[in-house]
Amino acid sequence: MTLFHYIHKDTVLHRMDGRLKLAALLFFGLAAGFSSEFHDYLVAFSVLFCALLLARLPVAALLKEMGFFGVLILIVMVVNAFTIPGEPIPNSPFAGISQQGVITGLRFAGRLLMVLLLSVVVTGTTPLARFRDAVEWYLRPFPFLPAARVATMFNLTFLLLPVILDNFKEIMAAQNSRCVQLRKNPVKRLKYLVFPLLDQTLRRADEIAYAMEARGYSEVRTRATFKSTKTDWLMLAISLLVFLFVLF
Amino acid sequence: MALLETEDLTHVFPDGTVAIEGINLKVNAGEFLVIAGPNGSGKTVFARHLNGLLRPTRGRVLLDGEPISKDLIGARKKVGLVFQNPESQIVGQTVAEDVAFGPENLNLPADQVATVVEESLAAVGLSRFVTRSPHALSGGEKRKLAIAGILAMNPKIIVFDEPFTGLDYPGVVQVLKEILRLHKNGHTILLITHELEKVLAHAGRLVIMHGGRLVEDGKPETVISRVENYGLRMPLREGEKVGSLTWLK
């Protein structure tokens, strides 16, 4: 599984200063939200594809794993096409599809795809620790916010997510092997899935807390050092330009 | 004076279950001590008292003659604990990041953290995995990573809680060699296990726990004959000596 996982390579995107990358992520996220015209999508997608190639991520494997999201995006498009009222499409074999619905559906799908690609590029090129340090750096000026604690929680959440997903799959497999699918009541099936998962997750969280305490966990920690290069600023400038282009 | 000492150490859980009771144990610097006992005998609870992760209901733990409750961070620095499940010890997304967790908690300067991480990984032979995800390592390598994470805190004593659980033969050999190297380098080793056949030949002392109590303490050659009284398998066949109880050739 490579989707949403950090893949170590030595590229400008991998080396980029976490603070600037977080800011660039914000600009691109906003660009995705504000995109509405064809040329907006063209510019944003071109930049994102360039980033994907620049990061030397395994594009073929990633596209294959994105299949599930493809289905999701298709559903969004279809639902929009059928539910948004407007002019009917002449000679369309499907009754109830409107031109406005198709256009809105395509816009939504484009935005979703943009967010998906953005997440793939960012998660594939950024170790969690760099994100955590950047989050902490941005929160530090706020006097009543426990920046170190928030950053640790952020880190642990993302660290535990794949573990919880793995546990989920294992519990599912174990229950399927005991024919849980023969139980017709979905609430009961859910109960047999949720309780063990919750139990395991809480136990795991307990173990991690012990392990962190055993290694002297403290909120007064070594502060991360940041180094931004001209290339990092250039990347940030590009993302800002994309956002401004989309906005105006 | 003993390096580590427990006096009347007792832990009762809130539901009234007595996990350990009245444990008195002295560990001298440089010792290699094996603590054995069946499941539920209180070994892990005992280990978690040694660096203050659990607080005793009664009794105390002394480190260099001082109660560890006076300086818990100091105790965690001096007594490294390698957990039974190395996965639960991993908090970093890369090998280097995970080893850096301890020294960063100690608020060491960033360049010193980098040096300590490099040295600790080199010490366990994991230097080539610096940027690798810890979850992609083999069982033996994960245990080595857990050891590197502890070494980065520069402990005097290392407590291993069931270090061979779930490992295949090469994994056991890898970890056992690492433990012996640490002992040779001057670390005091407390190794909790019920798999005596893998390691006892290297220990200078064998302690048996049963029902939360310390029931035997002595030279392995003396204690081994009585292990079956406490729910442990006698690892020696007729004519064999304790020196044969190792998975190293």
Side-chain angles (χ1 to χ4, degrees), chain B residues 225-238:
Chain B
S225 58
R226 298 190 288 272
V227 292
E228 288 208 331
N229 299 341
Y230 308 110
L232 290 165
R233 176 181 160 268
M234 173 58 156
L236 288 175
R237 279 184 233 133
E238 222 171 287

Side-chain angles (χ1 to χ4, degrees), chain A residues 5-241:
Chain A
H5 279 63
Y6 172 67
I7 301 159
H8 183 76
K9 301 265 175 182
D10 189 20
T11 73
V12 281
L13 276 174
H14 284 80
R15 288 191 299 268
M16 191 173 171
D17 184 329
R19 296 167 304 173
L20 303 189
K21 200 182 262 185
L22 209 58
L25 175 68
L26 180 76
F27 289 139
F28 250 107
L30 288 171
F34 283 105
S35 291
S36 58
E37 300 301 326
F38 177 71
H39 53 259
D40 295 343
Y41 291 103
L42 187 70
V43 169
F45 274 118
S46 306
V47 175
L48 275 176
F49 274 117
C50 286
L52 203 60
L53 295 176
L54 195 66
R56 299 211 315 253
L57 296 175
V59 181
L62 287 168
L63 287 176
K64 204 174 156 194
E65 286 172 17
M66 280 196 271
F68 166 74
F69 292 96
V71 175
L72 208 70
I73 289 170
L74 200 70
I75 292 171
V76 169
M77 269 173 67
V78 171
V79 168
N80 271 285
F82 278 98
T83 53
I84 305 269
E87 296 283 312
I89 299 174
N91 305 323
S92 163
F94 306 105
I97 290 189
S98 69
Q99 287 180 29
Q100 284 81 354
V102 171
I103 293 167
T104 314
L106 281 171
R107 279 185 182 145
F108 265 113
R111 282 178 199 150
L112 283 177
L113 197 60
M114 214 185 284
V115 171
L116 184 63
L117 278 180
L118 184 62
S119 315
V120 167
V121 172
V122 172
T123 51
T125 60
T126 321
L128 268 180
R130 205 172 301 162
F131 253 137
R132 180 200 61 205
D133 294 339
V135 168
E136 192 177 341
W137 188 85
Y138 279 116
L139 292 181
R140 226 178 274 152
F142 299 98
F144 300 109
L145 263 179
R149 201 175 309 162
V150 172
T152 303
M153 282 159 68
F154 172 89
N155 193 34
L156 285 178
T157 307
F158 281 93
L159 196 75
L160 273 175
L161 268 179
V163 178
I164 294 171
L165 281 177
D166 285 350
N167 276 351
F168 172 79
K169 280 184 203 158
E170 206 168 293
I171 294 169
M172 281 276 277
Q175 298 197 351
N176 282 338
S177 70
R178 290 163 72 190
C179 299
V180 76
Q181 61 272 34
L182 296 180
R183 283 193 179 256
K184 297 292 172 220
N185 187 341
V187 178
K188 275 202 170 161
R189 273 161 62 176
L190 200 66
K191 186 189 102 179
Y192 288 122
L193 183 68
V194 169
F195 284 110
L197 185 65
L198 206 65
D199 184 58
Q200 281 191 23
T201 307
L202 291 176
R203 276 173 204 276
R204 182 72 203 264
D206 227 26
E207 280 290 304
I208 287 187
Y210 270 131
M212 286 171 69
E213 217 182 315
R215 288 163 79 184
Y217 175 68
S218 156
E219 286 180 3
V220 187
R221 301 166 52 79
T222 309
R223 285 194 170 180
T225 46
F226 295 97
K227 212 164 55 184
S228 48
T229 62
K230 281 181 186 161
T231 324
D232 296 349
W233 285 101
L234 179 70
M235 302 280 179
L236 182 65
I238 292 172
S239 58
L240 179 62
L241 282 175

Side-chain angles (χ1 to χ4, degrees), chain A residues 128 204 215-216 221-222, chain B residues 76 87 93 98 104-105 108:
Chain A
L128 268 180
R204 182 72 203 264
R215 288 163 79 184
R221 301 166 52 79
T222 309
Chain B
R76 281 163 198 171
E87 299 267 357
Q93 212 191 8
D98 188 69
E104 280 177 356
N105 286 332
L108 299 181

Side-chain angles (χ1 to χ4, degrees), chain B residues 96-186:
Chain B
E97 195 190 301
D98 188 69
V99 178
F101 180 75
E104 280 177 356
N105 286 332
L106 300 176
N107 206 9
L108 299 181
D111 53 345
Q112 208 177 323
V113 172
T115 312
V116 166
V117 168
E118 207 176 301
E119 285 171 359
S120 307
L121 285 173
V124 298
L126 289 183
S127 297
R128 64 188 187 283
F129 297 130
V130 172
T131 55
R132 182 85 65 92
S133 160
H135 298 286
L137 299 178
S138 71
E141 286 161 353
K142 276 182 193 161
R143 285 242 158 62
K144 281 181 158 194
L145 173 61
I147 296 170
I150 296 303
L151 285 182
M153 316 251 315
N154 196 20
K156 283 185 180 176
I157 304 168
I158 306 181
V159 183
F160 291 90
D161 189 1
E162 299 284 4
F164 309 122
T165 305
L167 293 184
D168 56 9
Y169 174 62
V172 170
V173 171
Q174 226 178 8
V175 172
L176 185 53
K177 277 184 179 166
E178 195 51 51
I179 294 170
L180 296 182
R181 196 188 59 78
L182 291 169
H183 183 233
K184 203 175 154 195
N185 287 350

Side-chain angles (χ1 to χ4, degrees), chain B residues 39-97:
Chain B
N39 292 342
S41 57
K43 305 184 298 286
T44 297
V45 172
F46 175 66
R48 289 186 178 184
H49 278 84
L50 300 180
N51 65 356
L53 284 181
L54 289 177
R55 315 289 158 79
T57 311
R58 196 176 66 232
R60 59 185 188 160
V61 180
L62 304 168
L63 190 61
D64 286 324
E66 291 289 323
I68 60 165
S69 51
K70 276 190 179 174
D71 177 15
L72 278 177
I73 293 295
R76 281 163 198 171
K77 218 179 132 194
K78 286 180 191 160
V79 184
L81 177 58
V82 179
F83 283 61
Q84 181 172 2
N85 176 9
E87 299 267 357
S88 63
Q89 200 162 325
I90 294 168
V91 289
Q93 212 191 8
T94 64
V95 165
E97 195 190 301

